[in-house]
Amino acid sequence: LFSSRFVGINASDINYSAGRYDASVKPPFDIGFEGVGEVVALGLSASADYTVGQAVAYVKAGSFAEYTVVPAKQAVPLPSVKPEFLTLMVSGATAYISLKELGELSEGKKVLVTAAAGGTGQFAVQLAKKAECHVIGTCSSDEKGGFLKSIGCDRTINYKTENVESVLRKDYPEGVDIVYESVGGKMFDLALNCLATKGCLIVIGFIAGYQNPTGLQPIKAELLPAKLLKKSASVRGFFLNHYLSKYKMALKHLLEMYERGDLVCEVDFGDMSPEGKFTGLESVFRAVDYMYMGKNIGKIVVELPHSVNSKL
C-alpha cells in the first residue's frame, strides 16, 4: 500500500475518461496513471523487497488517490520522494523508447519536436540533443522558448508569433528527418509536409483534438499515400503500453541520467495558474484544464498533502 505524495497529469487522462482507449470501461472508474509516494504497508510477498517508508513510483490506472494498492512487481524503488522522478515514468519513458525504437537518431539529423516545452516534449528535445541532432521545437510563448533554449534546443518557433510552415520552408528547405508529434490537426499536416526524404513522423498524441466531442480534428490525410511515396517517408504511431518490454531499461537509463545531472526534469505545479499551486485531489481538474490551455512548462504535477489524521 502506498501513500501518494505527487501524481502526474497526462493528456491520456482525457482519452481514458472519454472512453477513447477502451470504450468498454463504464463509469464510475478510477483515473490517473502515475504517482510517487511512500510505502505505508506491505503484503507478505512484498516484504522481501520493500520496507515501510521507502520511496517508490508506480504507473497504474487509478493513481489519482491518496492511498493506492500496487503489486510489488509494478513498483519502482526511488532514492527519494521527488516530483522530478515522476516526470520520467510516462513522459520521459515515452520520449526515450519512441525515439530509440522508431526515430533512429544519429548525428546531424534534424528533429522537429511539437509542443516541445511540455511534459514529454522536454525529454524529446534533450534526448535528440544528446544524440547530436539539430533540434527544432515549437511552443506557444517566448518564456517557453527561453526554457527550450536552456535545455539545448537549436531553433525555437513560437507558433503564436511566427508562421511555423514559413520558418521550416525557409530555414530547412531539405525538410526535417524526424518529427516527434503530439499536437495533431493542422500541426500534423504541417509536420507531414516538412518531412525530408526518408523522414519519419512519430505520432505520440494529438492534444489539439482531445477536447473535441469526437476527439479528433480532421487531417488532410487523403494525400497521405502520395506524400509518403514521394519521399519514401513514414508515419509511425507510438503507444507506451505496447513497449513495456523496453520500459525497465529505459527508466533505469533515465534515472541514471537525472542522478548524474545530465537531464533536466522540469516540473510545473501550477504556481502561475489563476488559483495557484495544484494541491490535493480536488485540484486535478484545474491541472487538466491548465494543460489544455497550453500554459505549462514541463510536466504538470499535483501535490497531495500528507494527512495528519490518517485513517490508517
Side-chain angles (χ1 to χ4, degrees):
L1 182 67
F2 295 128
S3 163
S4 297
R5 290 287 302 283
F6 301 103
V7 293
I9 303 295
N10 292 287
S12 304
D13 297 327
I14 287 283
N15 270 349
Y16 186 67
S17 57
R20 289 181 199 127
Y21 283 166
D22 185 353
S24 69
V25 178
K26 296 283 181 263
F29 50 80
D30 295 332
I31 53 173
F33 290 112
E34 55 183 341
V36 166
E38 289 141 354
V39 177
V40 289
L42 292 162
L44 280 177
S45 61
S47 51
D49 301 309
Y50 293 94
T51 55
V52 170
Q54 187 171 352
V56 283
Y58 47 91
V59 175
K60 176 182 181 289
S63 68
F64 291 161
E66 289 167 338
Y67 294 96
T68 313
V69 177
V70 178
K73 284 201 293 285
Q74 290 178 13
V76 177
L78 295 174
S80 60
V81 178
K82 283 169 76 171
E84 284 79 8
F85 291 124
L86 192 54
T87 66
L88 303 175
M89 301 303 294
V90 171
S91 301
T94 294
Y96 185 99
I97 300 170
S98 65
L99 289 172
K100 193 170 190 308
E101 298 295 314
L102 310 181
E104 297 174 9
L105 299 181
S106 59
E107 187 181 346
K109 281 194 175 177
K110 297 179 191 73
V111 180
L112 171 65
V113 181
T114 63
T120 188
Q122 64 172 331
F123 295 109
V125 168
Q126 293 178 81
L127 294 169
K129 277 310 291 178
K130 286 187 192 312
E132 298 184 17
C133 296
H134 176 91
V135 184
I136 310 134
T138 70
C139 62
S140 59
S141 71
D142 291 341
E143 190 192 358
K144 290 184 180 191
F147 166 67
L148 289 173
K149 286 200 174 78
S150 77
I151 60 171
C153 201
D154 296 289
R155 174 66 160 99
T156 61
I157 308 173
N158 178 347
Y159 64 80
K160 295 275 174 79
T161 58
E162 296 179 89
N163 182 304
V164 180
E165 199 163 9
S166 306
V167 170
L168 290 170
R169 199 173 285 149
K170 179 173 156 290
D171 293 356
Y172 304 95
E174 300 291 306
V176 298
D177 303 297
I178 298 145
V179 184
Y180 185 85
E181 216 296 274
S182 61
V183 177
K186 290 189 178 74
M187 188 64 85
F188 174 91
D189 285 323
L190 195 153
L192 181 66
N193 290 338
C194 79
L195 276 180
T197 302
K198 296 184 183 174
C200 176
L201 191 160
I202 304 170
V203 177
I204 64 125
F206 32 87
I207 198 163
Y210 293 160
Q211 283 187 312
N212 287 2
T214 60
L216 281 170
Q217 285 187 349
I219 55 168
K220 299 188 178 106
E222 64 271 16
L223 297 173
L224 187 63
K227 286 179 178 179
L228 296 179
L229 176 67
K230 193 171 76 172
K231 294 177 174 177
S232 291
S234 64
V235 175
R236 305 283 303 265
F238 179 85
F239 188 44
L240 187 59
N241 290 14
H242 298 145
Y243 288 85
L244 295 180
S245 62
K246 314 280 181 188
Y247 184 77
K248 279 223 158 113
M249 182 56 77
L251 202 56
K252 182 171 176 282
H253 279 176
L254 288 164
L255 285 166
E256 285 168 359
M257 285 164 76
Y258 174 66
E259 291 280 89
R260 280 201 310 266
D262 285 346
L263 201 61
V264 172
C265 297
E266 190 69 20
V267 173
D268 192 332
F269 279 114
D271 294 301
M272 306 308 287
S273 68
E275 293 170 58
K277 187 175 176 178
F278 304 133
T279 306
L281 288 174
E282 63 277 13
S283 69
V284 164
F285 74 94
R286 277 204 302 123
V288 171
D289 277 348
Y290 184 72
M291 176 174 56
Y292 285 111
M293 288 187 289
K295 299 291 189 196
N296 58 299
I297 295 182
K299 173 89 181 182
I300 302 174
V301 173
V302 175
E303 183 169 7
L304 304 185
H306 260 194
S307 167
V308 183
N309 334 317
S310 168
K311 308 263 191 318
L312 290 178

